[in-house]
Amino acid sequence: MFEFQRQHPIAAISRAFGLIRGNLITIFVFLIVGARSESFPFLTWIGGGFALLVIIGILDWWRFLFKVEDGELHIKRGIFVRKNLYLTRDRVQVIDISSGVIQRLFGLVKVDIQTAGSTSRAALIEAVPQSTAQHIKLLLSKNGENGTEDETQESIEKEGQTFGLPGKDLLIAASTSGRFGIALSILGTLFSQIEPLIRESDLFEQLFGMLPSQTDGFMIAAIIVLFIVVAWLISFFSTLFMYGDFKVEVREDELVISRGIFEKKRITVPYKRIQALYVTEGIIRQPLGFCSIYIDSAGYGDEKGSGSIVLFPLLHHSKVHSLLQNLVPHYNVHTPGLKPPKRAIRRYIIRSAFFLTLITSILYWPLGLTNWIWLIPVISVWWGWQKYKDAAIGWDSENVIIRNRVLSKKTAIIKRDRIQDSSVSSSWIQRFRNLCTTEVHVASGDHGSSFNIQDIERGDGATYLEEMRKERYKSEEKEPATQLEFSLTLPAWSENQ
């Protein structure tokens, strides 16, 4: 490991696929535009484009060299501009070893090395044998500085208690996944692009002729149902493959989360890097009594730069208390809390219903819409009331708990010593109503994360801000953080409620 070495040659193919995936939208647009033009050498350009990406992948693999020496990872890469990356053992926060489909076919793994810098993903070695990956992890581990190789290896491989996702819950998670909306929007976009091609082709006329006679309304309804079914199937199977074989392993200083059927992903989250924990109850899952748990980590960044990690994709509401006690007991807390005053109900409803009612009113007469369209403003009024009902904030000497709702109901637990900054703001309308908005920011991934509650009493906001200004909590000064009259207990899954 003290001499420069290359990755397995399959890394070239993996890199080419990565480039294709990263330029998928461009390629798709190219396909649509090229297929419509009779003079454009469509197939030549597409074939040439894919060949170019493969050549770039091969050159990138050839120029990628790495070694670990004296606790420092040195990577050389770059086709035209040579880049040297040095990562010392002290800067490394997380080393994840995972395997995608391509790596698994050849018995390889990829090593993802992350730091807490401006971009948390510092280095990615895409294809090396498992033994090489473990050796890299061993040499860059902080334990490797003083311990013997055997002791460090034993520390890395030491397993703790493991919690898995039952098959029944996995099926429920896949059936109620929020990916349905994303899949539906993608299908709609694709259909809008290829619909002219389908309509102009002979295939469309042949298929249309095979169908029994029907009205235009029936055809529209059938297409909508078809879209919904296909979108649901995409959402179902993508969630099934993503969270299949889900496990959370509890170790002394960290959590190890692994998931995936085809692409195995393994995330190591040190307890000290967790900035916040939140529980989401989706609009489909909440009536069924299910929720999901996420954590925000300062040392982890995925491809999107987000620090949010799924701690548990689905579990019943009644099991949240016991699961948190086993996984992250320091986040299994309850505090007294308060809600926005009743005079804030009107603001919650106006925010939710005003624009929908306005748009419905503008379109109703010109388009001759049915009266059923007025259900949309009625539902938005109910939604605003629901958002008011769920909004709450509470704090004690160690924690801040904020509960709100956009579509899903979200309850966030933030340690006070992890808060980057807190703010209280009031618009001129809020000042007239003596209300304010409170917001909390934490470090998470590359861009941070925030939680807020709107339209609480200005006096409560001032009290909260004064509490946050105090110096870090000291055990000998432990006392209730506020003298306010609280009306509920947070979080909502408290056994006291």
Side-chain angles (χ1 to χ4, degrees):
M1 196 59 68
F2 302 128
E3 300 293 334
F4 279 110
Q5 54 184 286
R6 286 192 172 85
Q7 305 173 85
H8 190 279
I10 200 63
I13 304 299
S14 178
R15 177 62 177 157
F17 273 106
L19 290 170
I20 292 171
R21 189 171 54 206
N23 295 279
L24 205 57
I25 295 177
T26 306
I27 294 171
F28 176 73
V29 172
F30 206 63
L31 285 170
I32 297 298
V33 174
R36 289 181 177 180
S37 174
E38 296 181 356
S39 60
F40 187 75
F42 169 68
L43 294 177
T44 303
W45 278 91
I46 290 297
F50 279 109
L52 178 64
L53 292 177
V54 172
I55 291 172
I56 292 175
I58 293 173
L59 291 176
D60 188 72
W61 163 76
W62 179 257
R63 298 279 284 174
F64 190 103
L65 298 169
F66 69 94
K67 71 173 182 178
V68 181
E69 186 176 15
D70 297 331
E72 182 181 74
L73 172 66
H74 181 190
I75 292 178
K76 292 181 179 180
R77 67 177 308 171
I79 298 175
F80 300 108
V81 179
R82 199 65 165 164
K83 296 180 180 177
N84 285 276
L85 172 66
Y86 298 90
L87 277 180
T88 60
R89 179 186 291 136
D90 294 336
R91 289 188 58 201
V92 175
Q93 295 291 335
V94 176
I95 302 174
D96 280 332
I97 299 175
S98 58
S99 56
V101 176
I102 297 176
Q103 286 88 354
R104 290 173 67 187
L105 287 174
F106 293 87
L108 305 170
V109 296
K110 57 183 175 183
V111 185
D112 194 353
I113 303 166
Q114 300 171 25
T115 68
S118 57
T119 173
S120 54
R121 171 153 290 161
L124 177 65
I125 303 174
E126 295 195 51
V128 290
Q130 177 75 29
S131 57
T132 304
Q134 291 294 347
H135 198 190
I136 293 172
K137 187 169 184 176
L138 172 67
L139 294 174
L140 292 179
S141 168
K142 290 183 173 57
N143 294 332
E145 188 174 6
N146 301 316
T148 65
E149 181 170 327
D150 291 340
E151 289 173 346
T152 307
Q153 185 68 32
E154 183 181 351
S155 173
I156 292 173
E157 296 298 332
K158 187 177 180 181
E159 296 184 353
Q161 191 177 5
T162 301
F163 298 85
L165 181 66
K168 179 183 175 183
D169 287 357
L170 176 60
L171 291 176
I172 295 173
S175 304
T176 58
S177 171
R179 292 171 173 270
F180 168 76
I182 300 172
L184 193 61
S185 62
I186 293 174
L187 280 177
T189 304
L190 289 175
F191 183 76
S192 67
Q193 295 296 321
I194 65 174
E195 187 270 341
L197 300 176
I198 296 176
R199 187 174 291 278
E200 294 170 4
S201 67
D202 296 335
L203 179 63
F204 175 79
E205 293 184 359
Q206 292 175 6
L207 292 175
F208 193 79
M210 294 171 61
L211 296 175
S213 59
Q214 65 281 309
T215 63
D216 289 344
F218 175 83
M219 281 294 294
I220 294 173
I223 291 173
I224 292 174
V225 171
L226 179 64
F227 267 64
I228 291 174
V229 171
V230 173
W232 183 83
L233 287 174
I234 294 173
S235 167
F236 179 84
F237 284 108
S238 64
T239 305
L240 207 63
F241 296 149
M242 177 178 290
Y243 293 116
D245 197 24
F246 183 91
K247 293 176 184 174
V248 182
E249 183 185 332
V250 182
R251 294 183 177 175
E252 183 178 355
D253 300 322
E254 62 194 17
L255 294 170
V256 180
I257 303 170
S258 56
R259 60 176 170 82
I261 298 293
F262 293 116
E263 182 172 8
K264 293 284 186 183
K265 195 168 183 64
R266 191 167 179 268
I267 304 168
T268 304
V269 187
Y271 283 120
K272 64 181 181 181
R273 306 303 302 175
I274 297 176
Q275 305 297 298
L277 177 146
Y278 57 93
V279 179
T280 61
E281 301 170 68
I283 54 178
I284 298 177
R285 292 176 177 176
Q286 187 179 359
L288 301 175
F290 289 97
C291 58
S292 304
I293 303 179
Y294 295 79
I295 51 178
D296 276 338
S297 170
Y300 178 79
D302 57 15
E303 292 82 356
K304 299 177 182 178
S306 167
S308 292
I309 304 166
V310 177
L311 179 61
F312 218 81
L314 188 88
L315 77 164
H316 196 269
H317 198 271
S318 59
K319 299 178 181 177
V320 174
H321 184 73
S322 60
L323 185 73
L324 291 184
Q325 189 60 37
N326 286 308
L327 296 183
V328 279
H330 47 298
Y331 279 91
N332 185 27
V333 297
H334 304 113
T335 69
L338 57 88
K339 292 177 59 60
K342 289 184 178 180
R343 65 176 184 278
I345 295 177
R346 180 166 42 182
R347 286 184 50 77
Y348 275 89
I349 291 176
I350 289 175
R351 269 197 299 267
S352 299
F354 177 76
F355 285 106
L356 285 175
T357 305
L358 181 65
I359 293 172
T360 304
S361 302
I362 292 173
L363 299 179
Y364 176 71
W365 284 280
L367 299 182
L369 300 175
T370 173
N371 288 334
W372 287 102
I373 199 69
W374 292 104
L375 279 177
I376 295 176
V378 173
I379 292 173
S380 64
V381 169
W382 172 80
W383 197 248
W385 176 81
Q386 191 68 39
K387 289 164 74 174
Y388 164 79
K389 180 185 173 186
D390 292 330
I393 183 172
W395 63 86
D396 60 17
S397 54
E398 295 182 351
N399 309 283
V400 174
I401 299 179
I402 293 179
R403 192 175 69 197
N404 63 12
R405 176 189 289 276
V406 179
L407 290 178
S408 301
K409 177 180 171 183
K410 179 188 290 187
T411 304
I413 303 171
I414 310 118
K415 293 294 177 186
R416 284 179 60 166
D417 58 0
R418 303 297 169 89
I419 293 176
Q420 297 297 308
D421 63 79
S422 296
S423 63
V424 176
S425 59
S426 297
S427 66
W428 66 273
I429 298 179
Q430 284 180 312
R431 286 195 293 274
F432 177 73
R433 302 293 295 174
N434 200 29
L435 302 172
C436 67
T437 297
T438 298
E439 191 163 15
V440 175
H441 300 273
V442 297
S444 174
D446 298 339
H447 310 295
S449 184
S450 62
F451 307 93
N452 69 70
I453 179 173
Q454 296 177 310
D455 296 329
I456 62 172
E457 292 275 9
R458 289 188 71 185
D460 295 341
T463 304
Y464 162 80
L465 199 58
E466 185 61 30
E467 288 288 332
M468 295 303 111
R469 283 174 176 166
K470 289 183 177 179
E471 292 185 0
R472 203 171 186 176
Y473 169 72
K474 297 178 182 176
S475 58
E476 62 270 19
E477 296 174 356
K478 194 171 186 177
E479 60 181 8
T482 177
Q483 301 300 320
L484 295 172
E485 293 291 334
F486 294 108
S487 60
L488 76 164
T489 299
L490 288 172
W493 56 85
S494 167
E495 292 180 339
N496 298 325
Q497 282 194 327

